[in-house]
Amino acid sequence: MENIFDQIIQHISIHVPLTESEQQVIIGYLTTRRIKKRQFLVSEGEHCRTEHFIAKGCLRSYYVDEKGKEYLLRFATENYWITDLNSFTNNVPSTQFIEALEDSEVICITRQALDCLLIDLPKLHKYFMLIYRNAIINNYDRIQQNFSLPALERYRNFQKKYPQLEQRVPRYMIASYLGITPEFLSKLSAQK
Amino acid sequence: MENIFDQIIQHISIHVPLTESEQQVIIGYLTTRRIKKRQFLVSEGEHCRTEHFIAKGCLRSYYVDEKGKEYLLRFATENYWITDLNSFTNNVPSTQFIEALEDSEVICITRQALDCLLIDLPKLHKYFMLIYRNAIINNYDRIQQNFSLPALERYRNFQKKYPQLEQRVPRYMIASYLGITPEFLSKLSAQK
């Protein structure tokens, strides 16, 4: 049976080659957590003390305003990291919820463990630099699309960028991600 | 007279201690560029081949939709980096404009030079990892504020986060950043 940690090791190795012993160092800092559909990995108000690499499953992060309205921040599936980065980095209460949309399995690293790991293996800074850079590029891409593209084009781009995701998450969440109503999304998806 | 490169060396040193010879290695990869008020560092459609650290001045990045409407992405002043990160990283045409709002002086590094620098001094991955992480946190903070905070609070937070910036950039750009009309911003700024 494949070890769950093989997946994260493979993902890191795409960006930073690792020796066998370096792989073992990394694994020594990791833990795993199973999380059932509709359970929360992070809730607003609590300190988010771990970063999570998704080995299996699908999660979303969202924000709830004072009136109780939800705003979808992002979806994350296999091989993506998810956390409330501000809470994790600056040790402040989380402003987000992170919820499993399927039974999921995540690989966890605490802030303290990550700090130690980066001291033990400084070459991993490169990995996180690249991961974070991609996150920035994705954020700006989404912001610019929301500014200016018609909903149909945003929807088509979403389908291209996240194939299969539409089959894995409720439709109203995709509508929320695209900034449109579920009814309007139904109309769009009926169009060829 | 202080050398312009001292400023970037100081900024990097906050995050990553540097020896004298490491400082010289970094400086060897840098160039400088003066840019007059209202001139463009980057224009939409061109390949953005350099990252820019602002030694002096103030710039903005913005996006223009098909109807010609401008959307302000961010402001950047001394000690911030600015570029179209997608264009810079993935060698695709820029989708943004980056314009000087004051006579400015930026320190430039090309993509190729940055790649070589990171091979020469791998410890700098840590610096960029931290810079990018802060950028993500700032992006999410702005997104969440735009979702839910009333305009007056967003304006007060803007003033707190970027003291003096209000005196340096045209009012209509701040309104654009906050997602409100210039007239509404005038009303807000008249409130105590």
Side-chain angles (χ1 to χ4, degrees), chain B:
Chain B
M1 205 185 80
E2 208 189 43
N3 188 307
I4 184 175
F5 294 124
D6 288 351
Q7 200 173 329
I8 190 169
I9 294 297
Q10 274 171 31
H11 194 257
I12 297 173
S13 302
I14 295 170
H15 304 288
V16 182
L18 297 170
T19 65
E20 180 64 38
S21 74
E22 287 170 339
Q23 295 177 19
Q24 293 310 315
V25 170
I26 296 171
I27 290 170
Y29 284 109
L30 306 175
T31 58
T32 61
R33 182 168 164 196
R34 282 169 195 273
I35 175 155
K36 284 212 168 295
K37 186 173 173 170
R38 306 314 302 247
Q39 278 186 345
F40 290 88
L41 197 56
V42 176
S43 291
E44 190 205 320
E46 68 181 37
H47 283 68
C48 177
R49 303 195 194 279
T50 43
E51 254 281 19
H52 317 93
F53 176 89
I54 305 173
K56 188 177 151 291
C58 179
L59 298 96
R60 66 163 175 157
S61 61
Y62 66 95
Y63 171 74
V64 178
D65 73 11
E66 285 177 14
K67 291 177 190 150
K69 188 167 171 353
E70 270 180 36
Y71 299 89
L72 208 140
L73 297 169
R74 57 182 285 242
F75 295 111
T77 55
E78 287 82 6
N79 293 343
Y80 280 87
W81 288 87
I82 194 162
T83 194
D84 181 322
L85 202 54
N86 188 33
S87 178
F88 178 75
T89 304
N90 298 318
N91 196 25
V92 293
S94 175
T95 55
Q96 305 175 9
F97 292 89
I98 300 177
E99 181 193 23
L101 303 177
E102 298 173 349
D103 290 349
S104 300
E105 212 165 336
V106 297
I107 297 172
C108 310
I109 186 161
T110 64
R111 175 63 199 274
Q112 208 176 1
L114 180 60
D115 288 346
C116 294
L117 173 59
L118 288 169
I119 291 169
D120 279 359
L121 291 182
K123 71 203 277 195
L124 291 185
H125 287 108
K126 178 179 179 183
Y127 172 71
F128 286 102
M129 170 189 152
L130 297 175
I131 295 290
Y132 291 154
R133 188 164 73 182
N134 279 341
I136 295 172
I137 292 171
N138 277 330
N139 277 350
Y140 272 107
D141 181 50
R142 184 174 170 211
I143 289 171
Q144 292 184 204
Q145 290 204 25
N146 277 352
F147 277 154
S148 68
L149 285 191
L152 181 61
E153 265 182 80
R154 298 208 305 273
Y155 175 50
R156 295 286 183 239
N157 288 345
F158 172 82
Q159 290 176 311
K160 250 185 268 171
K161 195 162 179 177
Y162 305 102
Q164 270 88 55
L165 193 57
E166 217 174 340
Q167 282 74 53
R168 295 173 69 174
V169 308
R171 178 168 292 260
Y172 83 89
M173 290 183 193
I174 296 174
S176 170
Y177 182 85
L178 295 171
I180 58 179
T181 63
E183 295 71 28
F184 190 50
L185 179 58
S186 294
K187 274 187 206 161
L188 292 181
S189 69
Q191 290 181 33
K192 282 288 165 199

Side-chain angles (χ1 to χ4, degrees), chain A residues 5-172:
Chain A
F5 294 125
D6 288 352
Q7 201 172 331
I8 189 169
I9 294 298
Q10 274 172 30
H11 194 256
I12 296 173
S13 301
I14 296 170
H15 304 289
V16 182
L18 296 171
T19 66
E20 180 64 39
S21 74
E22 287 169 339
Q23 295 177 18
Q24 293 310 315
V25 171
I26 294 171
I27 290 170
Y29 284 109
L30 306 175
T31 57
T32 62
R33 183 169 163 192
R34 280 170 196 275
I35 176 155
K36 285 213 167 293
K37 185 171 172 168
R38 305 316 299 247
Q39 277 186 347
F40 289 89
L41 196 59
V42 176
S43 292
E44 189 206 320
E46 67 182 38
H47 284 69
C48 177
R49 302 194 195 280
T50 43
E51 255 279 19
H52 316 92
F53 177 89
I54 305 173
K56 186 177 150 293
C58 177
L59 297 96
R60 65 162 175 157
S61 62
Y62 65 97
Y63 171 74
V64 178
D65 73 10
E66 285 176 16
K67 290 177 190 149
K69 189 168 175 346
E70 270 180 36
Y71 299 90
L72 209 141
L73 297 169
R74 56 183 284 242
F75 296 110
T77 54
E78 288 82 7
N79 294 343
Y80 280 88
W81 288 86
I82 194 162
T83 194
D84 180 323
L85 202 54
N86 188 31
S87 178
F88 178 76
T89 305
N90 298 318
N91 196 26
V92 294
S94 175
T95 54
Q96 305 177 9
F97 293 89
I98 301 177
E99 182 193 22
L101 303 177
E102 298 174 349
D103 291 348
S104 301
E105 213 166 336
V106 297
I107 297 173
C108 310
I109 187 161
T110 64
R111 176 64 201 274
Q112 209 177 0
L114 180 60
D115 288 346
C116 294
L117 173 58
L118 288 168
I119 290 169
D120 278 0
L121 290 182
K123 71 204 279 197
L124 292 185
H125 287 107
K126 179 180 179 183
Y127 171 71
F128 286 101
M129 170 188 150
L130 297 174
I131 295 290
Y132 291 153
R133 188 165 71 183
N134 278 343
I136 296 172
I137 291 170
N138 278 330
N139 277 349
Y140 272 107
D141 181 49
R142 184 174 169 212
I143 290 172
Q144 290 183 206
Q145 290 204 24
N146 277 352
F147 277 154
S148 67
L149 285 190
L152 182 61
E153 263 182 82
R154 299 208 303 273
Y155 175 50
R156 295 285 183 240
N157 287 344
F158 172 82
Q159 289 176 311
K160 250 185 269 171
K161 194 161 179 178
Y162 305 102
Q164 270 87 54
L165 193 57
E166 217 174 341
Q167 283 75 53
R168 295 173 70 175
V169 308
R171 179 169 290 259
Y172 82 90

